[in-house]
Amino acid sequence: MVRNVMDMNAHYGGLNAALLEEKKMVWVMNVVPVRARNTLPLILDRGFLGVLHDWCEPFPTYPRTYDMLHADGLLSLLTSERCGLMELFIEMDRILRPEGWVVLSDKLGLIELARSHATQIRWDARVIDLQNGSDQRLLVCQKPFLKR
């Protein structure tokens, strides 16, 4: 069961709105990366929760808080940052509950690199081709209950 969701690159809060529209009873934390366009005022105006955050730093939350992490385009945004993707994946592993889900959407090359990192921290990972003619792919991962 998914109760706590984090949208790591919330844009305008679209994931939150979609979950509400489908009448899903979840709590969503919308995060706007500090290097992205600041859309936090728009998210807050919609009545959603949200924060600005630098993903090169740890997120201020207890370990194992979230059941699902979602990020659309976050990997592209962070490729020019001072931190690496492995640091991001270690932070995601810290805040994700066992048996939690990660859904990433980005360009093929970055998704393949992310899949490599996900398997290094022993997550189950699968790349999905959206079949829309673009180089966008989805990476769907699940953190196992026990590390193998």
Side-chain angles (χ1 to χ4, degrees):
M1 183 166 91
V2 175
R3 295 171 301 229
N4 298 322
V5 175
M6 176 185 285
D7 193 349
M8 299 173 67
N9 191 15
H11 300 289
Y12 300 103
L15 177 67
N16 197 339
L19 291 169
L20 278 175
E21 187 175 305
E22 291 297 316
K23 302 198 183 346
K24 301 295 182 191
M25 299 303 293
V26 296
W27 182 86
V28 179
M29 173 57 76
N30 295 287
V31 180
V32 177
V34 292
R35 299 279 191 250
R37 195 168 135 238
N38 185 3
T39 57
L40 187 58
L42 298 170
I43 290 170
L44 298 175
D45 284 347
R46 294 178 83 177
F48 300 151
L49 294 172
V51 295
L52 284 171
H53 182 66
D54 181 353
W55 281 113
C56 292
E57 302 293 331
F59 191 79
T61 189
Y62 291 108
R64 301 182 188 103
T65 300
Y66 293 95
D67 301 302
M68 186 176 105
L69 304 175
H70 171 267
D72 179 20
L74 182 66
L75 304 178
S76 293
L77 187 64
L78 294 180
T79 55
S80 63
E81 294 287 324
R82 66 185 187 279
C83 56
L85 288 184
M86 185 49 107
E87 288 82 5
L88 176 67
F89 272 80
I90 291 169
E91 179 62 8
M92 290 165 63
D93 190 62
R94 182 186 74 83
I95 64 177
L96 187 65
R97 286 188 178 137
E99 298 184 343
W101 294 90
V102 174
V103 179
L104 302 174
S105 174
D106 222 306
K107 296 176 185 155
L108 176 60
L110 290 168
I111 288 293
E112 286 298 332
L113 181 60
R115 186 191 57 76
S116 168
H117 289 319
T119 56
Q120 286 177 18
I121 57 175
R122 295 191 165 92
W123 289 354
D124 299 322
R126 188 173 85 207
V127 176
I128 299 172
D129 185 354
L130 300 175
Q131 311 236 343
N132 60 1
S134 74
D135 68 340
Q136 290 288 114
R137 300 292 188 275
L138 284 181
L139 176 64
V140 179
C141 305
Q142 187 175 27
K143 179 180 177 177
F145 186 73
L146 296 172
K147 300 278 184 182
R148 293 176 244 130

